[in-house]
Amino acid sequence: MTSKFAVILAAGQGTRMKSKLYKVLHPVCGKAMVEHVLSQVEENKMDEIVTIIGHGAKDVKKRLGERTKYALQAEQLGTGHAVLQAEELLKDKEGVTLIVCGDTPLFTAQTFSELFEYHEQKGAVATVLTAEAPNPFGYGRIVRNELGIVEKIVEQKDANEKETAITEINTGVYCFDNKELFEALHQVKNDNVQGEYYLTDVMEIFKNAGKVIAAYKMKNFDESMGVNDRVALAQANKLMRQRINEKHMKNGVTLIDPQTTYIDVDVKVGRDTVIGPGVVLKGKTVIGEDCFIGAHSEIRDTVIENNVTVTASLLEESTMAEGSNIGPYSHLRPAAKIGKNVHIGNFVEVKKAEIGENTKVGHLTYVGDATLGKNINVGCGTIFVNYDGINKHHTNVGDYSFIGSGSNLIAPLEIADHAYVAAGSTITNDIDAHDMAIARGRQVNKKGYFDHYPVADAAEKAEISTHKNI
């Protein structure tokens, strides 16, 4: 079997992005552009991958890790010069080398596979991946002779009037005989408008040597889109999002309005789950089967099991067990663990807390740094007071306990099973099993005191006004 290598070009700064973030690290649907490219290349079971780095080299290496080897292009002198930096790692190896740019996140593994296959069939020394462009401006043009054989590739700035009229463009992806590639690169000159060493010039070198050059025209031009500015970045996100959404729908997920549903590339969603309009699913989120994710919910790096309902809520780095529900307008912060059949109602915030099976936290409540057992009722307006100004402290609440509305639980605190906290209490001491804790001031009624306050005058005027209108 022929050995397969890849060179990913990721050394450019991307000045047109006008960004502090290096171009190839800009995200498309939750993953850096260069990471998309690497992932699709990897699916073709490459023997070796080399990424050419330059600007932002440290950040690119941090993102891609040990999935690829690296070669540094310290000075950007063109695409031919960039590929030449991989010579030390690849030059003596027999096989086929794929060249692809790190700012083309929409290419698929299938397209790369088809290019490899076509290259092998034609017995070519070089094969360029081409496409018919509706607007070819800015792309290199594929110049063919009367027999349809590729003669050369001309860059936009070097093209004459006849060549600029060509609509078949160079996508920037190639297959080369590895040894032939590096031999030809040493013959490339920089006598062009840009004063750069173009990788495309090796085609004419091969042609003059009588070697076979092939061109494989891909089916979908959109895949070839390169991202050079924020406008193109938005378009790439739109195309990738459409691809992702169609994949989920074909796998049995209902998207009520795909145009307003934003799902990152690594998100997993189970069959018969329904996703409402305006939903954002990010990162490594995993959603089970038969769930309902209501409109305008945002979920990031969260695991949701089967039969869960999320209504207009924000979930981050949390888990929701089977049959649980949340919302509307609630927030799971990192390390929240929601147990089976738990109800988290509206305007509830949970942070670094575990809530046991069948427990209910109805509304207007904060649960932070706590462990709640099963079958607990937490009343409206309860606050788990976990912060003393310097440190966070933990509260444990036992099974079958009842926490009355408007309670403040001052951590650290141990509330045993079957304990009862009276409404309006501020609890600072532990509570034993089957005890009720009451911690509030005794009520005193002051006779006639209503009339001493300005509200009395306002009430009297309102009464007079009401009687006049009757």
Side-chain angles (χ1 to χ4, degrees):
M1 183 179 291
T2 304
S3 295
K4 292 191 290 188
F5 314 106
V7 175
I8 300 174
L9 306 182
Q13 186 173 15
T15 54
R16 280 182 280 172
M17 296 294 287
K18 292 182 170 57
S19 175
K20 295 181 287 295
L21 184 66
Y22 300 105
K23 179 170 73 167
V24 298
L25 294 180
H26 277 267
V28 172
C29 293
K31 186 179 285 188
M33 289 194 283
V34 69
E35 200 172 357
H36 279 290
V37 174
L38 178 58
S39 295
Q40 298 304 310
V41 168
E42 285 174 325
E43 285 193 32
N44 280 276
K45 297 181 171 53
M46 311 304 289
D47 293 280
E48 195 166 338
I49 301 171
V50 179
T51 300
I52 309 301
I53 52 177
H55 290 287
K58 182 179 178 183
D59 293 329
V60 174
K61 289 178 75 171
K62 183 178 179 181
R63 178 61 62 92
L64 301 183
E66 296 181 3
R67 295 164 60 188
T68 171
K69 294 182 179 178
Y70 300 93
L72 180 67
Q73 186 187 23
E75 188 178 4
Q76 276 69 58
L77 300 176
T79 51
H81 177 258
V83 176
L84 200 54
Q85 308 314 300
E87 184 175 34
E88 188 176 333
L89 294 168
L90 297 177
K91 66 177 180 179
D92 294 326
K93 297 183 178 180
E94 297 276 357
V96 178
T97 296
L98 174 74
I99 309 291
V100 59
C101 295
D103 62 357
T104 52
L106 298 175
F107 277 118
T108 63
Q110 178 64 31
T111 295
F112 293 149
S113 176
E114 290 170 4
L115 178 62
F116 274 121
E117 187 177 345
Y118 188 85
H119 178 79
E120 292 283 318
Q121 286 175 355
K122 294 297 180 182
V125 68
T127 302
V128 57
L129 183 65
T130 74
E132 285 292 334
N135 177 12
F137 183 82
Y139 289 94
R141 307 302 204 280
I142 304 300
V143 180
R144 297 177 184 264
N145 64 19
E146 62 277 3
L147 298 175
I149 297 170
V150 176
E151 290 194 322
K152 60 180 178 178
I153 301 172
V154 181
E155 299 300 322
Q156 173 75 40
K157 292 181 180 180
D158 299 304
N160 59 37
E161 187 175 348
K162 182 180 178 181
E163 289 163 345
T164 56
I166 297 170
T167 57
E168 186 181 8
I169 58 95
N170 173 20
T171 66
V173 178
Y174 315 85
C175 274
F176 291 103
D177 177 279
N178 187 66
K179 285 188 173 181
E180 295 270 14
L181 169 63
F182 288 105
E183 288 176 14
L185 282 172
H186 285 286
Q187 302 174 49
V188 172
K189 308 224 180 311
N190 66 340
D191 49 355
N192 51 61
V193 173
Q194 294 287 89
E196 294 184 348
Y197 297 92
Y198 293 150
L199 175 60
T200 50
D201 286 352
V202 301
M203 298 301 185
E204 199 158 5
I205 291 169
F206 289 143
K207 189 198 96 169
N208 293 336
K211 294 176 179 175
V212 177
I213 303 167
Y216 176 67
K217 190 182 292 187
M218 62 189 295
K219 302 176 185 70
N220 184 359
F221 168 74
D222 287 342
E223 271 192 44
S224 68
M225 180 181 177
V227 176
N228 292 311
D229 57 27
R230 307 287 182 136
V231 175
L233 182 65
Q235 183 66 13
N237 270 284
K238 181 179 179 180
L239 292 168
M240 181 69 79
R241 188 164 64 247
Q242 181 180 343
R243 183 189 297 176
I244 291 168
N245 288 353
E246 286 179 358
K247 179 195 74 173
H248 286 297
M249 288 187 286
K250 288 175 180 176
N251 287 339
V253 178
T254 295
L255 304 186
I256 293 174
D257 184 6
Q259 297 301 315
T260 62
T261 303
Y262 298 77
I263 304 178
D264 279 356
V265 67
D266 288 330
V267 171
K268 294 179 174 57
V269 185
R271 288 186 302 175
D272 293 314
T273 283
V274 177
I275 297 176
V279 169
V280 179
L281 306 178
K282 303 172 77 172
K284 304 286 187 182
T285 291
V286 178
I287 298 175
E289 297 183 356
D290 301 296
C291 295
F292 179 81
I293 311 300
H296 309 298
S297 295
E298 182 173 335
I299 303 172
R300 175 175 61 83
D301 295 320
T302 290
V303 175
I304 294 175
E305 295 181 2
N306 299 337
N307 294 293
V308 170
T309 298
V310 177
T311 307
S313 293
L314 172 61
L315 283 58
E316 306 173 88
E317 300 174 35
S318 301
T319 60
M320 291 190 70
E322 185 172 358
S324 58
N325 66 83
I326 185 171
Y329 312 120
S330 289
H331 186 185
L332 297 186
R333 289 168 58 192
K337 296 181 179 180
I338 309 304
K340 283 186 177 182
N341 302 315
V342 166
H343 168 63
I344 304 293
N346 54 308
F347 300 103
V348 175
E349 181 175 328
V350 182
K351 189 246 8 171
K352 202 176 180 180
E354 184 171 349
I355 299 179
E357 185 174 349
N358 295 318
T359 287
K360 295 177 176 59
V361 184
H363 31 252
L364 300 164
T365 291
Y366 171 69
V367 183
D369 294 279
T371 302
L372 281 66
K374 62 187 178 182
N375 293 92
I376 298 167
N377 186 85
V378 178
C380 175
T382 296
I383 306 297
F384 283 68
V385 185
N386 56 337
Y387 184 49
D388 64 9
I390 298 174
N391 298 308
K392 298 288 181 73
H393 301 280
H394 200 83
T395 294
N396 291 314
V397 181
D399 299 342
Y400 303 100
S401 293
F402 183 94
I403 310 299
S405 296
S407 297
N408 296 306
L409 308 180
I410 313 296
L413 197 61
E414 295 286 337
I415 299 175
D417 296 348
H418 300 277
Y420 195 106
V421 174
S425 294
T426 295
I427 303 298
T428 57
N429 297 319
D430 295 347
I431 306 172
D432 291 336
H434 298 277
D435 286 357
M436 180 178 75
I438 306 174
R440 60 192 183 210
R442 186 178 296 276
Q443 182 173 326
V444 176
N445 293 346
K446 299 286 188 177
K447 193 170 181 64
Y449 259 62
F450 176 87
D451 299 328
H452 291 226
Y453 294 97
V455 69
D457 293 334
E460 185 178 357
K461 289 175 182 176
E463 280 186 291
I464 292 169
S465 175
T466 300
H467 288 307
K468 280 182 179 179
N469 293 327
I470 293 176

